[in-house]
Amino acid sequence: MSEIKQKILFVNSEIYPYLPETEISRIGRYLPQGIQERKREIRSFMPRFGCINERKNQLHEVIRLSGMNIIISDVDHPLIIKVASIAAARIQVYFIDNEDYFRRKQLFSDESGHFFADNDERAIFFARGVLETVKKLRWAPDVIHCQGWISHLVPVYLAKAYKDDPIFSSSKVVLSLYDDTPASFSPDFAEKACFGGVTREDLALLEDPSGINLAKIAAKYSSGVILGSENIDPQITDYCSSLGLKTLPFSREALENGNYIGEYCSFYDEI
């Protein structure tokens, strides 16, 4: 029988009600609550996008966790951590904030629908910001569940840059895949994403900086994959199959009746 995984870290691109209700944001909202109700400890993170009303949602800065700078392309970017509570769920949500990356009102594309040129740097900042904050919390997760493409650098950073950190020494990564794959990123994504023990060789797939290749990198360094959408690009699912990754198939019925929470919880214990 597999060991019960007690501490679950959720790294989300979207959480309802801070963002509009979507397939990803609903799971970001209800999955942590359901896992907590199953007597597990949880922590949940997302970006502090500029469209989130801080007063309405009662966000406030956590001074003891803020104050670090994350260097990307030789530029220092201050890391600000904010927190809010979803009272009905009795859970807290941590927000990764930075004025350069997360104050604009749109999520990933401008008003004309153009993908932001710095979305690669936003993914780098978000992934590193989450991991550094968890270190400051001194909270060692058994499972780190990544949801949404902006979380896709977390697995490789854990495997290479944080592999000797005792906080993450027992952490397994679960990757939820959705049909949110971006077309492409800036040509120098791989160069900018390197830090610590992460080399260009580790990010070789990003020499072609597509969302598909970013998802492949995330899968390569994950322990298990959950298919969260029906229409995931087959290039990604075929790659996961080639790696022999433990995979939880997509189930529309489970998502609609809420049974997915129990299935996900069991999946955590099996990896």
Side-chain angles (χ1 to χ4, degrees), residues 149-187:
W149 70 260
I150 201 168
S151 71
H152 282 181
L153 285 172
V154 169
V156 64
Y157 284 164
L158 280 166
K160 298 294 181 175
Y162 294 87
K163 62 184 176 64
D164 297 322
D165 194 302
I167 290 290
F168 302 111
S169 61
S170 300
S171 299
K172 302 288 187 181
V173 179
V174 170
L175 175 68
S176 274
L177 293 169
Y178 297 93
D179 55 359
D180 65 334
T181 309
S184 63
F185 297 92
S186 65

Side-chain angles (χ1 to χ4, degrees), residues 231-251:
N231 301 312
I232 301 165
D233 193 296
Q235 294 181 71
I236 302 172
T237 52
D238 290 348
Y239 182 78
C240 292
S241 296
S242 73
L243 295 174
L245 283 172
K246 187 173 183 61
T247 301
L248 184 65
F250 175 78
S251 170

Side-chain angles (χ1 to χ4, degrees), residues 206-224:
L206 283 182
E207 297 304 328
D208 174 10
S210 67
I212 288 173
N213 283 336
L214 178 61
K216 286 181 178 180
I217 286 175
K220 180 179 179 180
Y221 294 100
S222 295
S223 301

Side-chain angles (χ1 to χ4, degrees), residues 56-71:
K56 175 184 175 183
N57 292 293
Q58 298 183 339
L59 272 68
H60 61 272
E61 184 176 352
V62 186
I63 302 298
R64 69 182 179 87
L65 298 177
S66 301
M68 191 183 81
N69 285 346
I70 292 177
I71 301 172

Side-chain angles (χ1 to χ4, degrees), residues 32-47:
Q33 178 183 352
I35 297 300
Q36 182 170 262
E37 289 171 351
R38 285 162 173 77
K39 310 303 180 185
R40 316 293 174 99
E41 285 187 54
I42 66 103
R43 298 287 186 276
S44 196
F45 283 78
M46 70 172 288

